[in-house]
Amino acid sequence: MFENSFSANEQPLDSIRHERLRRLRAYWEAERLPARWLVYEKLRPEQIAYVLADVAVLERSGGGGELVLQVRLAGEAIRMEGLGFVRGKSSAEFRPSWFRDHMIESCRNVFERASPVYALVTLRYEGGAYPYEQLFLPV
């Protein structure tokens, strides 16, 4: 039987491995000040063109304690039509449930903390293991 799940191990922000993610975090830090989060109006895609294929912008919506995410941008390298992770979709449309649950829980953690979160993630899907870095920067 195949296991379909994510494991995410949070890491210190200063341990980000890929240079493009380090540059993105530095951009976020410089532009957000003095606020805790980067104000959406200050986000300049032309200044982060080097990483746009690997960036998603997720907006939270919904009320009554239920977190619903709207995908405002899903870069070509991370866009996943089969999972419903494409621009214009909501987390209610993410399939299967283990993917939806992982995304909602990851985002809930970032929203509650109101700070960046960096993790090493491994997706286990149909017998394979797919590791990647995940950096959430609140906007």
Side-chain angles (χ1 to χ4, degrees), residues 11-116:
Q11 303 291 313
L13 289 170
D14 61 0
S15 69
I16 295 172
R17 294 178 180 177
H18 286 85
E19 175 62 25
R20 290 183 307 147
L21 291 180
R22 287 193 299 270
R23 285 178 58 197
L24 180 61
R25 178 179 170 232
Y27 165 80
W28 182 87
E29 289 286 355
E31 294 298 320
R32 75 169 175 85
L33 294 174
R36 271 181 95 176
W37 291 24
L38 175 63
V39 177
Y40 184 77
E41 290 73 25
K42 291 179 77 175
L43 180 62
R44 297 287 175 254
E46 66 274 11
Q47 293 183 355
I48 58 170
Y50 58 90
V51 75
L52 279 179
D54 298 305
V55 169
V57 176
L58 304 173
E59 180 181 318
R60 70 177 165 180
S61 62
E66 182 181 347
L67 177 61
V68 176
L69 304 170
Q70 297 292 326
V71 180
R72 296 294 176 215
L73 169 73
E76 285 303 309
I78 62 171
R79 182 176 169 273
M80 297 171 277
E81 269 191 56
L83 300 177
F85 193 77
V86 295
R87 184 177 182 198
K89 298 286 186 177
S90 80
S91 56
E93 300 171 88
F94 293 173
R95 299 287 184 267
S97 61
W98 51 264
F99 173 69
R100 181 179 53 252
D101 294 347
H102 168 73
M103 291 303 298
I104 288 174
E105 191 56 37
S106 296
C107 290
R108 184 185 321 277
N109 181 31
V110 173
F111 292 138
E112 287 175 357
R113 291 166 59 174
S115 64

